[in-house]
């Protein structure tokens, strides 16, 4: 079957419609985030901004740990609990909230010790516990609607969980700085004003499911959820360590200001994650359906096409990196441009790693996913530490890219055992990613060119892409 045939079939695909809606929601949410970022980088002192982003990194590690990662197995559980799927997800949400209550009680009893140990304020510690419970409930419900291809509800939840929080946080920080609030007090304002609206949405989502009568204790559901999620807890935590440890370690071993610069570069990476997150909404149900039908040829070709397609998106992001950094943070953050090449290369391998982990989870190899993630996270932390000591904080972007490559190499033998028919396609995708990563790293040399020449390259790339798109549409017009 040719690519043109796939395109024709996709036109009326519910998976494609779900993906388009999800991408649209991500674009809207991230557009608000990008509009907010230049405000935060200008009204918050650089060290406070670095502390905020570091707290966000830690929160992304705490959330799967305190919720036991129970939101991670929803896609696979649909095949076991087809007729009781909503009851299953409701029961899982109840277990998550009960875990939150248990951890919240412990945190309250030892709040002084924990605040000193973690260097948190009381408000930050409360946010950690509540966010882990109620944002996880939002994730469970979003995944439920995504599997049911209720893309409008996924879009609505995505927007409600992000846009109001950003707008309220901007208003609160502007008001606080105008009154002369600074230091830890300003940090508290930023954290509370952003996460409190998200928590409210999570409480409302949980309450609505309770009112539907779908939230009931069920030890059978809980036992299955824990058994399936237990190996993936370390996967989720290790994945977040891979994603967040560079920023945390830069703050710990260099400075909050360096972490702020690193964070602005990371914000640029969110441009491509906009598309990837929306794409995943349609990809996982579609990909699992192909695996369930043993249509390995289609699934394997799709993996290769996805990797090449995302790399093509990375090129204009890299070329326009200087302007994007200036918009997000201004000249004081401009050295972040030298982080973009390896960061984009690392994200490319990260996307491939996630595709391989999806295969392993489908074939109940969650334990392999967990073990590999732990190994790679440990390697990443060690490499990051060595890189900071030898090459400074910018070298961390290269070690993270290497860590994602190692992860892909470790996942390959597992995929070869559970789905040997996909091996050839995965090897092709790995080779393509390797070549493209080298191109992205070397591509940072464009920043040494006069700006006019770089703008000419951007225009030429845009023109070539437009011509290719028009030619493709004319060739494959229905």
């Amino acid at each position: 079957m040719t690519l043109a045939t796939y395109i024709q079939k996709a036109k009326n695909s519910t998976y494609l419609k779900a993906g388009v809606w999800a991408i649209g929601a991500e674009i809207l949410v991230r557009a608000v985030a990008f509009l907010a970022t230049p405000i935060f980088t200008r009204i918050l002192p650089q060290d406070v901004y670095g502390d905020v982003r570091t707290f966000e990194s830690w929160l992304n590690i705490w959330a799967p740990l305190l919720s036991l990662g129970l939101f991670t197995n929803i896609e696979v559980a649909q095949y076991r609990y087809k007729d009781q799927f909503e009851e299953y997800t409701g029961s899982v949400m109840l277990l998550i909230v009960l875990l939150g209550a248990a951890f919240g009680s412990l945190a309250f009893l030892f709040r002084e010790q924990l605040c000193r140990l973690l260097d948190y304020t009381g408000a930050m510690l409360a946010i950690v516990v509540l966010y882990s419970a109620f944002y996880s409930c939002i994730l469970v419900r979003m995944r439920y609607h995504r599997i049911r291809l209720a893309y409008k509800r996924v879009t609505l939840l995505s927007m409600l969980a992000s846009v109001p929080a950003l707008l309220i946080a901007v208003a609160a920080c502007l008001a606080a700085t105008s009154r002369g609030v600074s230091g830890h007090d300003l940090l508290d304002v930023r954290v509370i004003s952003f996460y409190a609206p998200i928590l409210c949405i999570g409480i409302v989502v949980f309450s609505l499911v309770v009112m539907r009568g779908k939230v009931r204790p069920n030890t059978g559901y809980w036992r299955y959820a824990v058994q399936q999620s237990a190996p993936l807890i370390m996967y989720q935590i290790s994945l977040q360590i891979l994603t967040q440890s560079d920023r945390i370690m830069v703050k710990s071993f260099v400075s909050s200001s360096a972490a702020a610069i690193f964070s602005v570069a990371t914000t640029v990476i969110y441009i491509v994650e906009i598309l990837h997150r929306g794409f995943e909404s349609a990809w996982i149900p579609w990909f699992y359906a192909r695996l369930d039908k043993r249509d390995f040829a289609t699934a394997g070709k799709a993996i290769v096409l996805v990797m090449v397609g995302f790399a093509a998106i990375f090129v204009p992001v890299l070329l326009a990196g200087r302007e994007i950094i200036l918009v997000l943070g201004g000249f004081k953050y401009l050295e972040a441009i030298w982080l973009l090449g390896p960061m984009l290369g690392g994200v490319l391998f990260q996307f491939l790693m996630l595709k391989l982990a999806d295969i392993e989870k489908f074939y109940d190899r969650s334990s392999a996913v967990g073990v590999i993630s732990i190994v790679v996270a440990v390697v990443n932390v060690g490499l990051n530490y060595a890189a900071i000591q030898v090459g400074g904080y910018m070298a961390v972007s290269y070690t993270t890219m290497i860590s994602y490559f190692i992860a892909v190499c470790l996942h390959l033998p597992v995929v070869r055992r559970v789905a040997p028919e996909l091996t050839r396609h995965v090897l092709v995708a790995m080779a393509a990613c390797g070549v493209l990563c080298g191109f992205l790293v070397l591509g940072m040399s464009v920043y040494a060119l006069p700006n006019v020449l770089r703008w000419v390259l951007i225009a030429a790339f845009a023109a070539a892409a437009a011509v290719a798109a028009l030619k493709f549409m004319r060739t494959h017009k229905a």
Side-chain angles (χ1 to χ4, degrees):
M1 190 181 293
T2 64
L3 175 62
T5 307
Y6 290 135
I7 297 296
Q8 292 299 325
K9 283 190 170 186
K11 286 183 177 179
N12 296 318
S13 170
T14 52
Y15 296 112
L16 179 62
K17 291 176 181 177
V20 169
W21 272 87
I23 290 172
E26 283 292 333
I27 290 175
L28 179 59
V29 169
R30 296 299 174 181
V32 176
F34 276 108
L35 290 173
T37 297
I39 299 174
F40 287 132
T41 54
R42 286 164 172 82
I43 64 176
L44 297 178
Q46 201 170 47
D47 58 340
V48 173
Y49 182 73
D51 288 342
V52 169
R53 297 302 300 271
T54 303
F55 174 71
E56 292 172 353
S57 297
W58 273 113
L59 196 55
N60 288 325
I61 296 173
W62 285 119
L65 177 62
L66 299 185
S67 66
L68 299 185
L70 294 174
F71 54 84
T72 60
N73 74 326
I74 301 301
E75 287 83 2
V76 177
Q78 67 172 312
Y79 294 99
R80 177 161 179 165
Y81 299 106
K82 292 182 179 179
D83 298 328
Q84 301 88 29
F85 189 49
E86 188 172 13
E87 287 78 4
Y88 171 82
T89 56
S91 187
V92 168
M93 290 170 69
L94 175 60
L95 179 56
I96 290 173
V97 171
L98 292 175
L99 287 170
F103 286 120
S105 299
L106 290 173
F108 179 78
L109 290 174
F110 301 101
R111 58 189 181 280
E112 294 182 3
Q113 296 90 330
L114 288 172
C115 286
R116 283 197 301 269
L117 177 65
L118 300 172
D119 193 24
Y120 286 175
T121 64
M124 293 166 70
L125 183 61
I127 291 294
V128 166
V129 176
L130 294 172
Y131 181 86
S132 299
F134 290 107
Y135 185 69
S136 295
C137 288
I138 295 175
L139 292 178
V140 170
R141 198 62 183 171
M142 286 179 66
R143 291 182 179 218
Y144 169 81
H145 288 312
R146 186 178 298 153
I147 289 166
R148 292 292 188 247
L149 298 179
Y151 40 84
K152 293 181 181 179
R153 295 187 179 185
V154 175
T155 301
L156 179 62
L157 276 177
S158 179
M159 292 171 58
L160 288 176
S162 302
V163 176
L166 283 165
L167 296 177
I168 292 171
V170 168
C173 288
L174 285 171
T177 53
S178 67
R179 295 193 186 97
V181 177
S182 61
H184 279 88
D185 291 335
L186 183 57
L187 178 61
D188 270 352
V189 169
R190 169 63 174 83
V191 169
I192 295 171
S193 62
F194 179 76
Y195 288 105
I198 297 176
L199 297 177
C200 291
I201 297 299
I203 293 170
V204 169
V205 168
F206 178 72
S207 301
L208 290 175
V209 179
V210 170
M211 292 170 62
R212 286 173 56 86
K214 303 299 182 180
V215 176
R216 297 176 182 174
N218 187 308
T219 55
Y221 292 159
W222 292 356
R223 184 164 51 250
Y224 174 80
V226 173
Q227 287 174 350
Q228 291 296 313
S229 298
L232 295 176
I233 295 172
M234 291 311 301
Y235 167 68
Q236 285 294 323
I237 295 172
S238 301
L239 182 61
Q240 290 301 329
I241 289 174
L242 269 171
T243 307
Q244 312 292 344
S245 64
D246 44 14
R247 202 180 315 168
I248 294 171
M249 294 182 73
V250 167
K251 177 185 181 297
S252 300
F253 294 107
V254 185
S255 67
S256 295
S257 296
I261 294 172
F262 209 95
S263 297
V264 169
T266 304
T267 303
V268 178
I269 305 304
Y270 289 162
I271 294 176
V272 294
E273 289 189 349
I274 291 172
L275 298 177
H276 185 257
R277 291 189 183 190
F279 171 80
E280 283 286 289
S281 300
W283 167 264
I284 292 179
W286 178 88
F287 189 61
Y288 280 178
R290 301 285 76 72
L291 295 181
D292 190 49
K293 295 177 181 178
R294 300 187 63 80
D295 186 2
F296 297 113
T298 301
K301 290 176 183 177
I303 292 174
V304 177
L305 288 173
V306 166
M307 292 301 103
V308 175
F310 274 112
I313 297 170
F314 291 4
V315 174
V317 174
L318 182 69
L319 291 174
R322 188 177 188 276
E323 285 69 31
I324 297 172
I325 293 293
L326 287 175
V327 169
L328 291 175
F331 284 99
K332 63 181 178 180
Y333 290 92
L334 189 57
E335 64 184 73
I337 59 175
W338 303 109
L339 298 166
L340 297 182
M343 278 188 172
L344 288 167
V347 168
L348 193 60
F349 273 117
Q350 179 195 17
F351 289 174
L352 180 56
M353 177 195 73
L354 294 174
K355 303 297 173 287
L356 302 187
D358 288 339
I359 297 171
E360 294 163 7
K361 285 186 283 186
F362 181 83
Y363 289 105
D364 293 326
R365 294 297 190 274
S366 298
S367 58
V369 175
V371 171
I372 291 172
S373 62
I374 294 170
V375 171
V376 175
V378 172
V379 169
N380 178 244
V381 170
L383 290 176
N384 285 351
Y385 179 78
I388 290 173
Q389 302 304 315
V390 175
Y393 77 93
M394 286 196 173
V396 171
S397 59
Y398 291 89
T399 54
T400 300
M401 179 179 66
I402 293 170
S403 297
Y404 282 124
F405 171 72
I406 293 172
V408 171
C409 292
L410 293 177
H411 280 290
L412 178 62
V414 182
V415 172
R416 182 178 292 171
R417 284 197 296 273
V418 299
E421 298 86 350
L422 294 174
T423 303
R424 179 172 60 87
H425 299 288
V426 172
L427 288 172
V428 172
M430 287 178 64
C433 287
V435 172
L436 293 167
C437 281
F439 177 79
L440 289 167
V441 171
L442 294 175
M444 290 190 298
S445 59
V446 298
Y447 299 136
L449 298 175
N451 289 334
V452 173
L453 291 180
R454 192 163 43 79
W455 296 337
V456 170
L457 288 174
I458 295 173
F461 184 89
V467 170
L470 288 172
K471 184 177 179 181
F472 182 85
M473 287 188 291
R474 289 173 181 170
T475 303
H476 303 289
K477 188 175 181 180

